[in-house]
Amino acid sequence: MSTINPSDQPAPLVQPSPNPRPRRTLSAGKEFRRWLAKWSRWLHIYLSMFGLAAILFFSATGITLNHPDWFFEEHLVQLEGKLPVAWLHVDGNPPNDWDGYDLSHEVDKLEVAEHLRAEHRLTGRLSDFLVFDDECEVTFEGPGYASTARISRESGEYTLDVTSNDLVTVMNDLHKGRHTGEVWSWVIDISAIIGVLVSLTGFVLIFFLRLRLKSALLVALAGTLALYAVYWVARG
């Protein structure tokens, strides 16, 4: 007599529920809240990571800017040289809007500037080139750096003062955008925008932390009032 193995028996069919539960649809308001929470969290995390170096840099240099006496070291080097007199007396026509004082059209500014830069390995951008009756004054400037040449138009002889500062001063000038050019100006603007977005998305995320919403808003309000109070005290 054969025995029936229970495993050989067909599995009972699962009968579907006669009344399946309908899928819940979110209202427009709840759908928007879910979308806002998702994208606020995404932006907050990845913008923080992308702009981490910039935020750290501008935060640290904010301290060094506020206390310049803590970090400051300056090096001054004085040099001498001579330029061809012909570069300082050229027959150039004055511009149409000439004010009668700036004599730049009488000097070969390109030759003078490039010679100074190559001869003394000057860095920075040419920020000023002033020409007077008896002398010229040429200035190159960069973050934490300045060099000024005073040239006699009669003899071509000049003195050059090269001032360079320490790394902290360079970083402070970068923070202020001082003598940095258009590219670094874009870096400052983009960093500021990232900082604003990180702050705003962080504030938005507070409203999705229901258990801590009240305390978080109180702390945010206290910080705002403290900053406002310090402002009024600073005004004297």
Side-chain angles (χ1 to χ4, degrees):
M1 182 177 180
S2 63
T3 59
I4 299 176
N5 191 343
S7 61
D8 294 336
Q9 304 228 359
L13 296 176
V14 178
Q15 297 294 330
S17 175
N19 297 314
R21 179 179 298 179
R23 186 176 180 181
R24 296 178 59 186
T25 59
L26 298 176
S27 64
K30 290 183 178 180
E31 188 68 33
F32 175 75
R33 284 174 56 86
R34 174 178 290 185
W35 176 88
L36 183 61
K38 174 185 175 182
W39 283 102
S40 294
R41 188 179 300 109
W42 188 91
L43 284 173
H44 188 77
I45 293 173
Y46 288 100
L47 282 177
S48 298
M49 293 300 98
F50 180 79
L52 182 62
I55 294 172
L56 178 61
F57 171 80
F58 285 104
S59 300
T61 51
I63 298 175
T64 58
L65 273 173
N66 199 38
H67 301 280
D69 52 316
W70 291 1
F71 315 92
F72 186 77
E73 185 177 355
E74 184 176 88
H75 303 280
L76 175 63
V77 178
Q78 295 181 318
L79 305 169
E80 296 180 350
K82 187 173 183 179
L83 295 172
V85 177
W87 292 353
L88 307 174
H89 297 278
V90 298
D91 297 326
N93 296 321
N96 295 330
D97 57 348
W98 185 44
D99 58 7
Y101 295 98
D102 184 13
L103 304 176
S104 297
H105 59 281
E106 297 181 0
V107 175
D108 193 336
K109 297 168 64 174
L110 179 61
E111 290 286 358
V112 172
E114 291 304 315
H115 176 84
L116 292 173
R117 189 186 293 276
E119 182 71 15
H120 302 288
R121 298 182 180 179
L122 304 181
T123 60
R125 299 182 303 117
L126 178 64
S127 59
D128 279 311
F129 199 125
L130 306 176
V131 181
F132 308 101
D133 289 329
D134 56 345
E135 72 171 7
C136 303
E137 186 173 297
V138 186
T139 303
F140 297 86
E141 291 180 311
Y145 174 89
S147 58
T148 302
R150 295 174 177 84
I151 309 165
S152 169
R153 294 187 65 190
E154 181 179 354
S155 64
E157 296 178 349
Y158 64 84
T159 59
L160 178 65
D161 295 335
V162 180
T163 304
S164 57
N165 298 303
D166 57 5
L167 178 60
V168 173
T169 306
V170 174
M171 293 171 61
N172 288 347
D173 281 352
L174 290 173
H175 182 110
K176 295 182 290 185
R178 187 167 178 251
H179 311 312
T180 53
E182 185 177 357
V183 174
W184 186 256
S185 178
W186 276 100
V187 172
I188 294 176
D189 289 341
I190 293 173
S191 301
I193 292 172
I194 290 175
V196 170
L197 291 176
V198 168
S199 300
L200 290 177
T201 52
F203 187 73
V204 169
L205 288 174
I206 291 175
F207 292 91
F208 296 95
L209 303 176
R210 297 191 177 186
L211 296 179
R212 300 181 182 178
L213 176 60
K214 186 176 180 179
S215 59
L217 289 177
L218 288 175
V219 172
L221 178 61
T224 304
L225 293 176
L227 182 62
Y228 190 68
V230 171
Y231 164 71
W232 277 102
V233 171
R235 288 185 59 182

